[in-house]
Amino acid sequence: NFGTVETIPEAFDREYLSPVQIGTPPQTVNLNFDTGSADLWVNTNETPENQQNGQVEYNPTLSSTAKKMEGATWDITYGDGSASSGIVYTDVVSIGGVTVQSQAVESAQQVSSSFQADAASSGLLGLAYGTINTVQPVQQKTFFENAMNDLASPLFTVNLMKQAAGSYDFGYINASEYTGEIQYTPVDNSRGFWGFNPSGFQVGNSSFNASSWYAIADTGTSLLLLPSGMVDIYWSAVSGAKFDALQGGYTFPCNTTLPSFTFGVEEYRGVIPGHFMNYAAITKTTCFGGIQSSDALGFSIFGDVALKAQFVVFDGGDNTLGWANK
Ligand SMILES: O=C(NNC1=NCCC1)c1ccc(Br)cc1
């Protein structure tokens, strides 16, 4: 079978939320689909009231198919320092018509401040490899891994949009969502991520700089995080741009016209329009850049700033990533 679900951007395209049905009768919660992690966790009736801000909850006691996973716990810390932890149930989970009968659904008994403040998001749905799922003592599979063998094709596609509804498709490739040919490239999943080797980059219409490095495709990270050498070259082309230690990255005058950023995947060239690199206004006149350094993280992240300019196939059958413009 196959299915599709819409994904809606929050302010500044900071994150994208998609409706997920959990339990019997189905309870719908909006979750942040995250190809950079592998836990499906939700705010529930067990999440302390003082750690919530109106989020919609999943209540396993109201689901006839919910089963507590005795003795199981989870505890996750994300790359931005946010964290959550709790206990585990299994229940029926459906996304866009694709159903997994017994999915590990992790109930949050503790969530950190950024999750507490995010009223629209009821939790995260991990789409990385289950080798980095945090459930103990028995590690659990992701929704995609549980669904994969029943899907028409063992893949999902990500079509994020700038300030507009996009979609996650499971089990099929919708040719109307991209232009040109899809460039497939091998995935290095040794760290549990959808890792790949970009082949270089280009700022605006200048020459292409061939270079091979390691990066991950991560829908859960908002920005495009690259080695500082590339980031410095990009922002050196923007008059008035500067590294602002107080803001923790490059800022630039909001009225500047920004150059595009092109990345290579083998011979393919993915183009990110210049205005996608304006992440958010800090003041009326100063804006925060969407391309920032990944040096502190250890490797590059193609987050939403890059992904919303692309159609990306996450193929769990042959462990490849497919890239196309749109
Ligand atoms: O945590 C990561 N991605 N997902 C999310 N971030 C914030 C909430 C969800 C992440 C993954 C790999 C690396 Br390297 C850095 C960060």
Side-chain angles (χ1 to χ4, degrees), residues 34 36 78-80 82 115 124 193 216 218 220-221 297 299 301:
D34 179 18
Y78 296 100
D80 63 356
S82 58
F115 291 126
L124 268 74
F193 301 123
I216 68 168
D218 179 11
T221 291
L297 284 170
F299 43 88
I301 303 183

